[in-house]
């Protein structure tokens, strides 16, 4: 056994000389890479959806603040002026 082969075994690697096994190892590596990428994309999409919902909630709150007086829950001056422009 060569020194190089011994070093590979000490790191948990397996030296395979059979071309069919090598192709299977490459395919397995590619499949693992795809699975990890799919998981990362799924996780990022989940975070993106959470951020989108938080943004929608914040925009709704801003819309309320822009048109309603929070103390008395009535239209503010800006909203009254818009209503007057539409009717007048």
């Amino acid at each position: 056994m060569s020194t190089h082969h011994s070093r590979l075994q000490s790191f948990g690697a397996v030296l395979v000389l059979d071309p069919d096994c090598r192709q299977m190892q490459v395919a397995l590596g590619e499949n693992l890479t795809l699975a990890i990428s799919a998981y990362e994309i799924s996780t990022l999409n989940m975070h993106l959806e959470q951020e989108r919902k938080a943004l929608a909630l914040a925009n709704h709150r801003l819309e309320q603040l822009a048109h309603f007086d929070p103390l008395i829950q009535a239209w503010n001056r800006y909203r009254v002026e818009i209503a007057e422009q539409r009717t007048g």
Side-chain angles (χ1 to χ4, degrees), residues 16-84:
V16 176
L17 300 176
D18 183 8
D20 291 333
C21 288
R22 179 68 184 141
Q23 287 176 348
M24 289 183 346
Q25 288 175 335
V26 168
L28 178 60
E30 289 171 353
N31 288 342
L32 287 172
T33 300
L34 288 174
I36 290 167
S37 295
Y39 174 78
E40 289 174 348
I41 290 169
S42 176
T43 301
L44 289 171
N45 281 334
M46 182 182 65
H47 289 284
L48 182 61
E49 181 62 19
Q50 290 172 347
E51 292 296 320
R52 188 198 62 75
K53 287 179 181 179
L55 181 60
L57 186 61
N59 282 335
H60 178 72
R61 181 70 180 131
L62 285 172
E63 183 72 22
Q64 287 179 333
L65 291 172
H67 296 285
F68 294 95
D69 185 308
L71 183 59
I72 60 173
Q73 288 299 306
W75 284 355
N76 62 14
R77 179 178 160 190
Y78 172 73
R79 181 64 176 99
V80 170
E81 288 175 358
I82 290 175
E84 287 175 348

